[in-house]
Amino acid sequence: MAAAEAEVVSPLIVDTAPDTSGTAAASVAASVAEAARTESQAPASKAALAAKLMSLSGVFAVHKPKGPTSAELLNRLKEKLLAEAGMPSPEWNKRQKQTLKVGHGGTLDSAAQGVLVVGIGRGTKMLTSMLSGSKRYIAIGELGKATDTLDSTGKVTEEKPYDKITREDIEGILQKFTGNIMQVPPLYSALKKDGQRLSTLMKKGKVVEAKPARPVTVHSISLLKFQPPFFTLGFLCIALAILELTL
């Protein structure tokens, strides 16, 4: 997963980050809380406050709900943090010429929910290395239907009976997707062509060529729940797009 990064030309105050975790996150929260207490006890100049905030570096986790994209969630977070700090005047920004970096690691689709790792300051440089390990996903599938996007957001393109499909059928087919495999990324994905997401180009009716197959390591896939027509899968993998199961 690629790391996205943005720059905020303004001092930033974070009171409490949603769903923070880890030592770095606790350190960031503690530093920010101290800055907030100092500000409330005695008036501080904008330059002094900016210097304090510019020294913050670390990472923390937020929960991304279904709906917003990862970038939209990051923008909401930045807006809230900037509101806590109070927007400095354009003249002050221009004079200081300082920026505070805020970025997120990895990308979750708008229809997905889960952990999004956010970096501040030098923490943005840690995002790529931190997200290079294995990741866990949970996915819910529906038997008997196919969509043009290979997920629940698309239009149904085909329907078939599923009443004879058993738990054993699904568990048997999952084995072919474990280990080191080659996977062709779906056309409706966050991968880009000429700076635009393939999914965006597809929705505009553009002709998009499939990306070449790339190596994917899937440590394990397990069938967590089977309640036809729905079933739930658990994944432990290095990288994963969408699995197209044929039963």
Side-chain angles (χ1 to χ4, degrees):
M1 295 198 294
E5 184 174 306
E7 291 188 351
V8 183
V9 188
S10 184
L12 193 62
I13 294 180
V14 185
D15 58 340
T16 51
D19 296 328
T20 57
S21 63
T23 304
S27 177
V28 171
S31 298
V32 172
E34 179 183 352
R37 286 195 299 271
T38 301
E39 182 186 16
S40 64
Q41 294 171 358
S45 68
K46 290 183 178 180
L49 180 58
K52 175 68 176 180
L53 298 174
M54 289 295 293
S55 67
L56 295 179
S57 290
V59 296
F60 59 93
V62 300
H63 177 263
K64 190 197 87 65
K66 293 182 180 179
T69 64
S70 298
E72 289 171 345
L73 184 66
L74 185 66
N75 288 334
R76 291 182 188 179
L77 177 62
K78 290 189 294 185
E79 289 174 1
K80 181 177 180 180
L81 300 178
L82 290 171
E84 290 288 337
M87 293 295 291
S89 66
E91 292 78 14
W92 186 87
N93 270 334
K94 185 176 181 180
R95 185 169 63 253
Q96 295 297 319
K97 293 183 180 180
Q98 292 180 315
T99 60
L100 180 63
K101 293 183 178 180
V102 181
H104 69 81
T107 299
L108 293 174
D109 291 342
S110 58
Q113 62 177 331
V115 175
L116 188 68
V117 182
V118 177
I120 295 181
R122 292 190 301 275
T124 58
K125 299 183 181 297
M126 302 165 55
L127 294 174
T128 300
S129 60
M130 288 185 62
L131 297 174
S132 60
S134 299
K135 304 167 186 66
R136 291 187 182 275
Y137 298 92
I138 294 178
I140 299 176
E142 183 177 1
L143 297 171
K145 291 183 179 180
T147 68
D148 56 358
T149 60
L150 301 183
D151 62 20
S152 61
T153 65
K155 296 180 180 179
V156 175
T157 58
E158 186 179 9
E159 293 191 53
K160 290 184 176 181
Y162 59 85
D163 55 298
K164 294 185 179 181
I165 296 177
T166 65
R167 172 185 287 269
E168 289 72 25
D169 291 330
I170 296 180
E171 290 176 334
I173 203 70
L174 292 180
Q175 300 305 314
K176 64 183 290 187
F177 294 104
T178 58
N180 297 316
I181 63 176
M182 297 299 291
Q183 184 184 59
V184 178
L187 294 180
Y188 279 88
S189 70
L191 296 180
K192 294 184 177 181
K193 176 185 178 181
D194 300 328
Q196 294 191 63
R197 289 189 176 191
L198 297 184
S199 57
T200 301
L201 294 174
M202 289 289 292
K203 290 176 182 178
K204 292 180 178 179
K206 303 293 185 181
V207 177
V208 178
E209 294 183 1
K211 293 283 187 177
R214 58 183 181 176
V216 174
T217 300
V218 180
H219 298 300
S220 65
I221 305 179
S222 57
L223 179 60
L224 303 179
K225 187 180 296 185
F226 182 69
Q227 295 180 324
F230 300 104
F231 61 96
T232 303
L233 302 177
F235 302 86
L236 177 61
C237 56
I238 297 295
L240 187 68
I242 297 177
L243 296 182
E244 186 174 3
L245 306 181
T246 301
L247 299 173

